[in-house]
Amino acid sequence: MSADPLAVTRNASEAVTIAFGSSIPLQAYLAVAALLFCTGVWGLINSRNAVRVLMSIELMLNAVNLNLMAFSDYLDGQLIRGQVFAIFVITVAAAEAAVGLAILLSLYRNRETVDMERFNLLRW
Amino acid sequence: MTIASIIQQLCFLTLAAVVVLGALGVVLLPNIVYSAFLLGGVFLGMAGLYLLLNASFVAAAQILVYVGAVNVLILFAIMLVNKKENLAVIPGLLLRRLLSGGVCAGLFVLLLRVAFTTHWALPGPQPVGEEATIRIGEHLFSDYLLPFELASVLLLMAMIGAIVLARRDVFSSDVITGEPVDQGLIEKTRQPLLIDSTAAAGQPLLETTP
């Protein structure tokens, strides 16, 4: 009966997972992610500080990650490919933040400002 | 409704409120230091949401990478470039903000419509729960091996690129005496690139730092 004490724990945790699985609808996560993404887009368009633009990009990436994780848990519970994708997104986001802030630092040395309205060299 | 589901819904509502209000604060607050700290709060709230979604490994990775690395990097960048500057007034800024707000609200409604009208294949397979980390490891070393290795190359490229971009040009020898300098810490004065000549002649384009 108690030959495998881990089995009891595992069964209990499975029961908890199942009981937890269905009390929040998938659409709630999607709505939160959509709101986060739209906030990020608005900040990306309207920020005048270049650092805030980078922060808005991070917000958008996080919204995408939340979507991936929600789909992974609700629709792909066995293979959880969404979690793997989320890890890759986190990796790319870290690289993007490092390079973006380095570019920002270089821009600041050249132009002495972080005002996005003054970075208008490519304006037609 | 069991007490577990009530607690779970309370956790979800709290975390969602933290994330959404924090995101609004990141975008709207005038002081960018507050924005950066609120961004850390948003990242922590996202990690909590991941925990609710049975993804403990990604939640830990989120805290380590985002809160521990990206947010600290952003704070350092703010410290490096935080100079009080009087932003030039742009005509029609309010109109621009309202227009972009309308566009974003439209996008939000569109996304909500997609989310609530699509017939998702629910209920899906049962979540693996605590075995998620094992499954992720299996994925990373079998069918996602090539992206995994490419990610390491990408991180190396990003590291070298960031160093090259953020490096200062320094003299290798002293300017006055001509002796070689060991540390090479004398920074070359650099003319700011591409200054508009009329603006440079009339009003100074750059506020000179004291």
Side-chain angles (χ1 to χ4, degrees), chain A residues 23 46 52 62 78-79 113, chain B residues 8 29 100 126 135 139:
Chain A
S23 76
N46 282 302
R52 205 189 293 267
N62 264 288
Q78 284 300 310
L79 287 177
T113 181
Chain B
Q8 194 195 14
L29 280 185
S100 55
Q126 283 186 3
R135 298 290 170 88
H139 275 306

Side-chain angles (χ1 to χ4, degrees), chain A residues 7 11 17 19 25 28 35 65 75 78 83 96 101 105 111:
Chain A
N11 284 337
T17 306
L35 193 50
N65 261 348
L75 303 177
Q78 284 300 310
Q83 294 195 21
E96 176 262 344
L101 289 172
L105 217 60
R111 308 294 294 261

Side-chain angles (χ1 to χ4, degrees), chain A residues 10 13-14 17-24 26-32 34-43 45-49 51-52 54-56 58-59 61-63 65-66 69-71 73-81 83-99 101-106 108-115 117-118 121 123, chain B residues 4-5 8-9 12 16 19-20 23-24 26-32 35-36 39 42-43 46 49-50 52-55 57-58 62 65-66 70 73-74 77-78 80-81 83 85 87-88 90 96-97 100-101 104 107-108 111-112 115-116 120-122 124-129 131-132 135-136 139-140 144 147-148 151 154-155 158 162 165-168 187 190 192-194 205-206 209:
Chain A
R10 201 173 297 137
S13 87
E14 270 177 14
T17 306
I18 292 163
F20 270 12
S22 58
S23 76
I24 298 172
L26 170 65
Q27 284 87 355
Y29 286 103
L30 298 188
V32 171
L35 193 50
L36 197 60
F37 188 83
C38 292
T39 312
V41 171
W42 194 88
I45 296 173
N46 282 302
S47 300
R48 297 193 62 182
N49 194 327
V51 182
R52 205 189 293 267
L54 286 171
M55 292 201 259
S56 301
E58 299 295 332
L59 285 183
L61 285 167
N62 264 288
N65 261 348
L66 184 58
M69 303 289 290
F71 285 133
D73 190 53
Y74 280 86
L75 303 177
D76 193 25
Q78 284 300 310
L79 287 177
I80 53 169
R81 284 165 292 197
Q83 294 195 21
V84 186
F85 270 83
I87 288 175
F88 286 129
V89 172
I90 287 175
T91 311
V92 174
E96 176 262 344
V99 175
L101 289 172
I103 289 175
L104 172 67
L105 217 60
S106 182
Y108 180 72
R109 291 220 193 93
N110 277 324
R111 308 294 294 261
E112 297 284 331
T113 181
V114 287
D115 186 5
E117 300 293 331
R118 302 263 290 273
L121 186 65
R123 206 176 198 173
Chain B
S5 67
Q8 194 195 14
Q9 284 173 358
F12 174 77
V19 165
V20 169
L24 286 177
V26 166
V27 172
L28 293 176
L29 280 185
N31 191 341
I32 196 159
S35 292
L39 189 69
V42 171
F43 290 155
M46 295 294 294
L49 285 178
Y50 294 167
L52 274 182
L53 286 168
N54 300 317
F57 177 73
V58 185
Q62 164 94 3
V65 174
Y66 270 112
V70 173
L73 201 62
I74 285 176
I78 288 172
L80 283 173
V81 303
K83 187 182 68 174
E85 45 184 332
L87 297 179
I90 298 170
R96 191 196 297 188
R97 290 198 166 162
S100 55
C104 290
L107 179 64
F108 177 58
L111 288 174
L112 275 192
F116 281 97
W120 306 110
L122 289 171
Q126 283 186 3
V128 289
E131 290 180 17
R135 298 290 170 88
I136 290 172
H139 275 306
L140 283 184
Y144 289 96
F148 181 65
L154 176 81
L155 282 177
L165 279 171
R167 194 185 51 176
R168 295 160 185 258
E187 190 178 352
R190 191 195 307 216
L193 303 174
L194 303 163
L205 186 64
L206 310 168
T209 51

